[in-house]
Amino acid sequence: MMDETLPPSEQSAELDTLMLIIKSFLEHLEYTLGKDKYSATRHDIFNALAYAVRDRMVERWLDTQQAYYNQDPKRIYYLSMEFLMGRTLENSLVNLGLLDDFRDAMNSLGFDLDVLIDQEQDAGLGNGGLGRLAACFLDSMATMGIPGYGYGIRYEYGIFRQNIVDGAQVEYPDNWLRYRNPWELDRQEHLHPVKFYGRVVERKNAEGNTVFAWIDTEDVMAMAYDTPIPGFGTNSVNTMRLWTAKSSRDFDLTFFNEGNYIRAVEKKMLSENISKVLYPADHIPEGKELRFKQEYFLASATIQDVIYRFRKNHSDLRLIPDKVAIQLNDTHPSLAIPEMMRLLMDRERLDWDTAWDITTRTFAYTNHTILPEALEKWPVWFLEQILPRHLQIIYEINDRFLAQVRQHFPGDTGRLERMSLVEEHWERKIRMAHLAIVGSHSVNGVAALHTEILKEKVFTDFFEMWPERFNNKTNGITQRRWLKSANPGQAGLISRAIGDGWITDLDQLRKLADLAKDRDFIHAWQRVKQENKKRLADYIFRNNELQVNVDSLFDCQVKRIHEYKRQLLNVLHVITLYNRIKAAPAGDFVPRTVIFSGKAAPAYALAKLIIRLINAVGDVVNNDPDVGDRLKVVFLANYSVSLAEKIFPASDLSEQISTAGTEASGTGNMKFALNGALTIGTLDGANIEIMEEVGRENIFIFGMTAGEVDELRRRGYDPRDYYHRIPELKRVLDQIAEGFFSPATPDLFRPVVDALLNQGDNYMLLADYASYVACQEEVSRLYLDPDEWARRAILNCAGMGKFSSDRTIAEYARDIWGVEQMEVRPVLEFRKHDGPA
Ligand code: IMP
């Protein structure tokens, strides 16, 4: 709506902006898409709108990129196999400061911007925390004016779409590019060959030195697609560059020569498979050849690009560490280390020592998991066949590294074996984490506890050798997406109370602490939460045909389904509540709606069975007239960034209940607390730091500590002790095992109980059960006092300053990368097109 309180000159500028938006939209509809009012589909409307928004970003993007060349700052390259970006339209408009203008413009054309926003497909190029972290980091780097790049793969199919059919997960392909991706710009000129297979030959050069050539390779071309990443409230727009595989033109001359045209084309097509699909396993490497190729594809294309860009302004490659920082998001892109060595030596003709010095001063590695089964190891024979030159380089790195170890720890052969980059079991494997540590100058964990565990348990040998290399960078989230965009009600309330400085300085939320005592503020806070809960209840009704009580406690556990995250412990509690209601149907119970959402890796049978169990328990509980609306169990299908944006604002209780010492950080925990949910959690990952920030009295902590978990394991853990000792627990497990929730197939859920009682209960659910249930009773008691609940929720939000990804990025920039924020002009005017500069 036109703001009539503005002076006439500003009203006319607003009108100007509105007209420009409308013109831009209509031009894209007609000229870019070739549509008119008769032929435009809803996708065309969305795309024309998106192009109009992208134009605004491109203006700022070109300015920013030119500034990077002109000022030549150190740049940071964030390499990640996953970028879980979610939707782009709303976030871009928020960051550009153009949300209201575009809303008005679309409104005047008869379109509802919110409907268009909700129509966008998620870019789901990630599995969970690691990929979403990368996306939050891009937002922070752009907002803070840090010359940063995200480099990844443009998967044609992102994370699968999850449907629930008869209670079970069914996977469907995520064909996210079907209606085009209007945000990206294809860069046909940014093309790098990526080599595979072939063999290595040695020869002497003119100076008599041995040089290596990797020949007879099968080459695949990596082609760049750029997505502009706008910062909030600045002119700065960074780049996310994703690679797609294209067959090289001279790919299979042999087949052409033999006249086998179809075979030649087939091989071309096969090479393009590399960027076809994201592997959907989180915390469980699949060990597949195609995945290995994907990892190298990202590494090689990116390092070639980095060197190419560096060379535009510099000739002395020894300056790379002064101008380039590379962060490895887990070990997935760590083949970039031997690739950098290969390019510096074989292509650029540097000697080993110089190349190694450049490489180690440039690279840094972030570890994301301590689950032993999740640490990547690639069979040596993969490298022998697919990357023979890299295997040589890795062996050489290892020889030199082990010599250093021998010097540090003479006579300690056990240590040599433990630290070697090569695992010598029946199948020899390369330990990618060891490669990443040895090839980097920094190794960081993602929460304080996690970093301590890395130092003391997982990489102790390395820590003893290079203590200075290890550091912690507690994860964070961007408040622009996770509060300002996702929860406009709460964001508006906060801004009215303390101003909007928190959008770029989240520590300012501390000012809310004073308001936690203010009755009016508390009531306004409760109204916002209630509105958000109504919206989610509508969504649940539309999607699950289930009516939930909006006055009930919305108790949410949304994340990947994994044994260590213990959704099953939550289910044990739900069944306990159900049994209690059934035992005293007239009793007083605090009503709860327990909401689950999350995907299971398609090959992870037990995780999929847990999804079935949740739905089976829901079937019984939700349809039992004795229960009424005092307990409901909801499984929301297809957890994604855009669904998360609906759930967090509506949540009362955040379930962060992993076995202590297993979750590296978690970031959902931060998103919940920022949106005014209280946490029930273990002392695991970043939960500990959340507790420190919000106060022990404002969070529900239960269960064993990481130390107690270790101690119990050492003493010998017998889950059956708990089963026999706790009657409510025994009852619940017997019900699951005997088919109470699956009467038609009574044995269906027996494997779930077997895992707990007969296979050792690896994640110690039974040991934490009593403490969890008691803690949930405290939660229920507090919920009976809504003002006190809201007071604590406000204090939780007030304590979230630390968990902005802006803080995390500032620490990476200062401690690891040595990059600086660039002065960016805070201009947000709508540029009338003045042609290329
Ligand atoms: P890239 O760094 O090669 O990916 O180019 C990204 C953008 O930076 C280009 O589209 C140009 O806008 C800008 N750019 C590239 N090279 C130069 C240069 O040499 N000087 C100034 N700007 C440049």
Side-chain angles (χ1 to χ4, degrees):
M1 293 291 286
M2 180 68 61
D3 185 349
E4 283 166 11
T5 60
L6 290 175
S9 64
E10 285 180 38
Q11 278 190 31
S12 124
E14 250 189 55
L15 202 61
D16 236 19
T17 302
L18 224 63
M19 295 312 296
L20 283 165
I21 293 172
I22 292 170
K23 181 165 176 282
S24 176
F25 168 79
L26 292 174
E27 284 182 352
H28 278 300
L29 191 62
E30 181 171 355
Y31 302 124
T32 310
L33 300 166
K35 291 295 182 85
D36 56 22
K37 65 180 175 180
Y38 303 105
S39 55
T41 66
R42 64 191 191 102
H43 301 294
D44 296 321
I45 302 300
F46 177 85
N47 284 327
L49 169 62
Y51 285 128
V53 176
R54 193 185 73 181
D55 288 350
R56 310 282 75 80
M57 289 198 273
V58 166
E59 294 161 354
R60 293 163 170 80
W61 182 70
L62 292 174
D63 286 352
T64 309
Q65 300 308 312
Q66 285 168 19
Y68 290 167
Y69 279 94
N70 297 336
Q71 298 181 32
D72 193 31
K74 185 169 182 181
R75 307 176 197 225
I76 158 66
Y77 294 92
Y78 197 80
L79 268 62
S80 181
M81 285 291 281
E82 305 189 6
F83 285 91
L84 193 46
M85 302 298 280
R87 291 172 172 162
T88 295
L89 176 57
E90 184 181 17
N91 193 248
S92 302
L93 288 172
V94 164
N95 279 12
L96 295 168
L98 292 171
L99 185 64
D100 291 337
D101 291 330
F102 270 79
R103 190 185 301 284
D104 292 347
M106 295 312 287
N107 210 13
S108 69
L109 291 170
F111 297 108
D112 181 341
L113 185 66
D114 291 324
V115 171
L116 292 162
I117 284 172
D118 217 33
Q119 184 188 313
E120 183 174 358
Q121 280 256 349
D122 277 39
L125 306 186
N127 276 284
L130 172 147
R132 184 53 230 178
L133 183 76
C136 283
F137 280 2
L138 294 186
D139 183 81
S140 285
M141 288 195 275
T143 299
M144 297 162 75
I146 285 179
Y149 298 77
Y151 270 86
I153 294 180
R154 180 178 176 274
Y155 303 107
E156 207 173 309
Y157 295 90
I159 186 66
F160 63 84
R161 199 156 50 78
Q162 175 197 56
N163 279 11
I164 299 297
V165 180
D166 297 330
Q169 166 174 302
V170 179
E171 301 94 18
Y172 291 89
D174 163 55
N175 196 359
W176 72 295
L177 295 169
R178 186 176 30 186
Y179 300 109
R180 72 169 75 197
N181 169 13
W183 305 110
E184 67 188 8
L185 298 140
D186 60 313
R187 299 298 192 201
Q188 317 242 355
E189 74 281 17
H190 286 281
L191 212 58
H192 299 288
V194 178
K195 296 164 178 275
F196 295 96
Y197 303 104
R199 64 199 171 92
V200 181
V201 290
E202 260 184 68
R203 59 178 177 80
K204 296 273 181 216
N205 66 7
E207 291 84 49
N209 299 322
T210 307
V211 291
F212 296 85
W214 181 16
I215 59 167
D216 298 340
T217 53
E218 294 184 16
D219 296 1
V220 178
M221 303 308 289
M223 188 182 123
Y225 282 79
D226 286 347
T227 302
I229 307 290
F232 176 88
T234 89
N235 233 9
S236 153
V237 177
N238 280 342
T239 309
M240 175 174 70
R241 177 162 286 181
L242 302 182
W243 300 109
T244 196
K246 297 268 175 204
S247 60
S248 75
R249 265 182 298 166
D250 53 352
F251 193 65
D252 240 317
L253 284 175
T254 40
F255 286 117
F256 277 115
N257 294 343
E258 287 164 12
N260 197 340
Y261 171 75
I262 292 297
R263 182 81 181 95
V265 174
E266 256 172 22
K267 271 208 110 168
K268 272 172 172 292
M269 277 164 24
L270 280 178
S271 71
E272 297 187 351
N273 278 345
I274 287 180
S275 56
K276 200 60 93 184
V277 59
L278 166 75
Y279 275 87
D282 197 38
H283 293 292
I284 349 171
E286 291 211 60
K288 296 281 197 305
E289 185 177 319
L290 180 60
R291 167 73 181 195
F292 179 73
K293 287 184 175 172
Q294 287 183 337
E295 293 186 358
Y296 178 63
F297 178 72
L298 167 63
S300 177
T302 304
I303 299 302
Q304 292 184 64
D305 215 41
V306 167
I307 294 178
Y308 149 85
R309 188 174 289 114
F310 175 85
R311 275 207 172 286
K312 281 208 231 172
N313 275 359
H314 304 275
S315 52
D316 185 353
L317 292 166
R318 287 170 303 182
L319 295 179
I320 286 178
D322 299 330
K323 290 295 171 188
V324 174
I326 299 177
Q327 191 69 39
L328 302 173
N329 197 22
D330 213 310
T331 56
H332 315 148
S334 59
L335 287 166
I337 290 170
E339 177 67 356
M340 177 75 109
M341 289 297 289
R342 182 184 75 85
L343 291 170
L344 292 180
M345 294 188 303
D346 300 357
R347 195 188 280 184
E348 307 289 348
R349 297 294 175 219
L350 296 181
D351 60 68
W352 179 280
D353 290 332
T354 309
W356 185 242
D357 179 65
I358 292 170
T359 301
T360 51
R361 284 167 58 215
T362 301
F363 278 92
Y365 156 55
T366 304
N367 172 281
H368 282 274
T369 180
I370 53 169
L371 298 183
E373 69 271 25
L375 292 175
E376 276 192 308
K377 292 171 193 165
W378 288 111
V380 165
W381 68 264
F382 267 32
L383 282 108
E384 264 163 8
Q385 287 187 10
I386 302 171
L387 301 177
R389 178 65 182 128
H390 296 76
L391 184 60
Q392 285 182 337
I393 291 171
I394 289 170
Y395 281 156
E396 181 69 27
I397 293 173
N398 199 36
D399 284 350
R400 289 167 185 248
F401 164 63
L402 292 180
Q404 267 182 295
V405 177
R406 261 184 227 105
Q407 228 175 24
H408 249 84
F409 307 99
D412 193 343
T413 47
R415 198 182 283 263
L416 284 173
E417 224 169 87
R418 291 197 304 271
M419 294 180 84
S420 173
L421 307 198
V422 187
E423 183 178 273
E424 310 271 358
H425 286 317
W426 61 272
E427 185 182 41
R428 298 177 77 230
K429 289 182 174 170
I430 304 298
R431 298 161 165 157
M432 301 309 276
H434 294 201
L435 173 64
I437 296 172
V438 173
S440 297
H441 61 91
S442 163
V443 180
N444 75 282
V446 291
L449 172 70
H450 171 227
T451 301
E452 286 313 302
I453 293 174
L454 291 183
K455 294 199 260 189
E456 281 162 24
K457 279 169 54 179
V458 187
F459 300 133
T460 318
D461 293 316
F462 291 90
F463 178 61
E464 284 170 2
M465 186 152 157
W466 293 312
E468 70 290 348
R469 228 171 254 205
F470 286 75
N471 64 91
N472 177 57
K473 296 287 167 278
T474 298
N475 281 168
I477 59 173
T478 167
Q479 65 267 33
R480 269 79 62 184
R481 179 175 291 261
W482 295 108
L483 182 52
K484 184 161 173 42
S485 301
N487 195 346
Q490 189 184 314
L493 177 65
I494 293 171
S495 288
R496 285 191 295 282
I498 63 166
D500 59 9
W502 60 271
I503 302 170
T504 50
D505 175 14
L506 200 62
D507 284 327
Q508 293 193 22
L509 289 182
R510 274 279 172 228
K511 298 182 200 160
L512 289 175
D514 290 337
L515 291 160
K517 296 186 269 304
D518 179 326
R519 294 192 67 78
D520 289 343
F521 188 77
I522 286 178
H523 291 154
W525 184 274
Q526 289 164 329
R527 278 195 297 277
V528 167
K529 181 61 77 179
Q530 201 64 10
E531 282 304 311
N532 291 339
K533 286 171 74 171
K534 274 193 198 132
R535 257 193 295 280
L536 184 62
D538 288 344
Y539 182 88
I540 292 171
F541 184 72
R542 283 199 307 275
N543 286 276
N544 292 35
E545 293 167 10
L546 180 70
Q547 198 96 48
V548 302
N549 172 5
V550 287
D551 294 321
S552 66
L553 193 166
F554 277 21
D555 171 350
C556 305
Q557 188 171 20
V558 296
K559 48 180 81 242
R560 283 300 283 244
I561 311 291
H562 206 298
E563 286 164 274
Y564 84 84
K565 294 177 187 280
R566 300 202 295 191
Q567 280 90 357
L568 187 51
L569 179 59
N570 189 342
V571 175
L572 300 183
H573 172 246
V574 169
I575 300 173
T576 305
L577 288 182
Y578 174 70
N579 289 339
R580 287 180 183 180
I581 294 174
K582 290 298 282 181
D588 263 344
F589 293 93
V590 175
R592 279 196 196 231
T593 300
V594 185
I595 297 167
F596 293 88
S597 194
K599 293 174 183 174
Y604 190 171
L606 191 53
K608 289 175 113 170
L609 196 57
I610 290 169
I611 292 177
R612 287 192 80 170
L613 178 62
I614 293 168
N615 285 310
V617 171
D619 281 345
V620 171
V621 170
N622 299 345
N623 296 307
D624 189 325
D626 285 349
V627 174
D629 64 4
R630 292 178 297 181
L631 184 60
K632 287 280 177 272
V633 181
V634 180
F635 189 95
L636 287 174
N638 201 35
Y639 187 54
S640 55
V641 172
S642 54
L643 180 52
E645 286 165 0
K646 294 181 170 67
I647 295 172
F648 293 125
S651 57
D652 292 308
L653 186 67
S654 156
E655 298 269 355
Q656 306 301 333
I657 62 178
S658 50
T659 317
T662 62
E663 186 75 272
S665 163
T667 47
N669 45 5
M670 302 165 188
K671 292 161 196 166
F672 273 114
L674 185 64
N675 281 277
L678 299 188
T679 303
I680 183 166
T682 46
L683 288 175
D684 197 20
N687 297 351
I688 297 172
E689 288 155 81
I690 291 177
M691 176 184 77
E692 287 164 3
E693 295 298 307
V694 306
R696 173 67 183 83
E697 65 287 5
N698 297 315
I699 185 168
F700 297 100
I701 297 292
F702 73 95
M704 293 180 288
T705 61
E708 287 163 353
V709 167
D710 286 345
E711 177 52 30
L712 180 55
R713 251 192 249 286
R714 250 193 312 276
R715 280 205 319 267
Y717 170 57
D718 185 358
R720 290 184 158 270
D721 287 350
Y722 300 84
Y723 171 80
H724 290 300
R725 211 158 13 92
I726 308 169
E728 275 194 305
L729 172 62
K730 178 172 188 306
R731 168 116 200 272
V732 169
L733 292 176
D734 290 346
Q735 284 171 311
I736 298 172
E738 289 162 12
F740 183 87
F741 299 102
S742 52
T745 40
D747 287 335
L748 179 63
F749 297 121
R750 201 170 277 279
V752 171
V753 177
D754 273 344
L756 300 179
L757 293 182
N758 303 324
Q759 286 151 27
D761 182 16
N762 281 325
Y763 297 102
M764 297 183 156
L765 281 66
L766 272 53
D768 275 345
Y769 168 85
S771 161
Y772 179 54
V773 171
C775 194
Q776 288 284 20
E777 287 165 10
E778 257 186 76
V779 169
S780 290
R781 269 195 298 280
L782 185 72
Y783 196 70
L784 292 172
D785 184 350
D787 286 3
E788 178 58 16
W789 183 283
R791 190 184 74 82
R792 293 194 200 179
I794 293 165
L795 290 175
N796 267 263
C797 181
M800 281 305 109
K802 172 171 176 183
F803 304 103
S804 168
S805 44
D806 299 346
R807 187 269 313 150
T808 315
I809 285 297
E811 290 179 4
Y812 275 96
R814 185 193 62 205
D815 303 342
I816 303 178
W817 303 336
V819 299
E820 291 183 353
Q821 288 176 248
M822 257 181 52
E823 202 54 54
V824 276
R825 284 171 299 148
V827 185
L828 283 175
E829 81 208 18
F830 202 100
R831 192 195 287 177
K832 291 174 207 170
H833 198 261
D834 51 5

